[in-house]
Amino acid sequence: MHRQFHPDVAFGVHPDLGIAAAVADDRPFLDEVLRNHHFLYSQDLGIYLLPGDTPYNTAVRTVTSATREFQDSGLSVAADPRIMLPPPVPTPDGVPVRETVPGQSLTALTSELHELRRSADVADLLDQILDEHHGTVSDLEEFIDTAAAWCDRLESPNGHELGQRLRTIAHHVAFLGDQLADAQLDLSVMADLTPDGASLLAEVPLPARYDVLPVTRAARARAAVASSPHRQADAVPSPKAPRAPQMTPPGTSHAR
């Protein structure tokens, strides 16, 4: 026999109006919490709605925060998983829209890392970060490139200069992805297994960030002077060589 579940609050996605919330009854506490989280009550629909211009990340955080407050008060909450689906990135006509998937949390992947024992499993987590279509690295690179394009629309010298700087940063992110891919490949072929008696990862101190291997420091230096693939190589100023001291030819003198 299946017991029916009647939550005190339910969050969902309205096809035209965005994130919505419905309550089981008219308890003032339910209304107060939702209004404190910027939900507005619609008399016509009998539900609460977030403002239509609420950004996706803000909406997800709002639902999460309200859910936590309800649950801390002993109330039951249900939420439609489609709330986690981000909106598609706008594309020009004729360009396929990239499929949207639930956001990937680096915090969640870091938590998973604490439970792994095999090198191959760590490589699988890195593979998720490096995924060409939905990985964190490619998403960050696309975000920075889009921010650079936004700066270009200012049509001002400062805007164009900042756009170039952002494209260089995107190039560095791509370089970082290449380095992570090399590490991921090395992990995937390693046969190492964490010993059963090893300390918990949370108890192992993280290495100091300034303790960088020379080869990595050299690679960073090369990346810093490398030209961005989004602009011509001659746009990057070359370092000026120090001017050699002028030598007085033999047998000559200067009169003052």
Side-chain angles (χ1 to χ4, degrees):
M1 185 175 93
H2 298 284
R3 298 179 59 185
Q4 292 185 345
F5 174 62
H6 298 287
D8 295 296
V9 184
F11 293 99
V13 181
H14 191 281
D16 300 317
L17 302 176
I19 304 298
V23 295
D25 50 53
D26 58 356
R27 276 173 285 177
F29 177 73
L30 303 179
D31 178 82
E32 178 184 353
V33 172
L34 290 173
R35 291 185 184 277
N36 286 342
H37 287 83
H38 310 295
F39 280 87
L40 301 176
Y41 185 71
S42 170
Q43 293 284 354
D44 296 334
L45 299 175
I47 57 176
Y48 292 83
L49 295 168
L50 276 181
D53 59 351
T54 303
Y56 163 76
N57 287 331
T58 301
V60 172
R61 287 195 299 266
T62 298
V63 171
T64 302
S65 178
T67 297
R68 184 179 296 115
E69 186 168 348
F70 284 130
Q71 291 177 335
D72 288 345
S73 300
L75 301 176
S76 59
V77 180
D80 187 334
R82 289 177 297 177
I83 293 175
M84 299 300 296
L85 283 176
V89 177
T91 57
D93 293 338
V95 177
V97 177
R98 196 176 75 174
E99 178 187 359
T100 57
V101 296
Q104 180 173 254
S105 167
L106 276 177
T107 304
L109 291 178
T110 304
S111 179
E112 289 185 46
L113 193 60
H114 281 252
E115 305 299 324
L116 301 181
R117 297 187 59 231
R118 299 189 309 142
S119 302
D121 294 333
V122 179
D124 288 342
L125 284 189
L126 271 176
D127 193 50
Q128 295 183 45
I129 295 175
L130 297 169
D131 184 87
E132 181 180 358
H133 301 290
H134 306 300
T136 305
V137 173
S138 61
D139 284 349
L140 178 59
E141 187 179 357
E142 181 181 11
F143 174 83
I144 297 174
D145 274 333
T146 304
W150 187 94
C151 292
D152 289 341
R153 294 192 308 170
L154 297 176
E155 297 185 354
S156 66
N158 289 339
H160 289 305
E161 179 183 357
L162 184 54
Q164 289 183 340
R165 286 171 53 193
L166 286 169
R167 288 188 175 91
T168 301
I169 294 172
H171 175 63
H172 295 336
V173 172
F175 174 79
L176 172 64
D178 292 339
Q179 300 303 301
L180 286 174
D182 289 342
Q184 190 265 348
L185 180 60
D186 290 339
L187 280 165
S188 65
V189 298
M190 288 172 58
D192 291 350
L193 181 71
T194 305
D196 291 332
S199 302
L200 296 175
L201 184 57
E203 299 174 354
V204 179
L206 297 178
R209 293 186 182 274
Y210 55 80
D211 191 11
V212 183
L213 295 176
V215 63
T216 304
R217 188 179 297 113
R220 287 182 178 179
R222 288 195 299 271
V225 299
S227 61
S228 169
H230 301 281
R231 56 177 173 166
Q232 297 178 355
D234 57 6
V236 180
S238 58
K240 296 182 179 179
R243 180 178 298 177
Q246 296 181 353
M247 302 296 293
T248 304
T252 63
S253 62
H254 293 284
R256 297 181 60 89

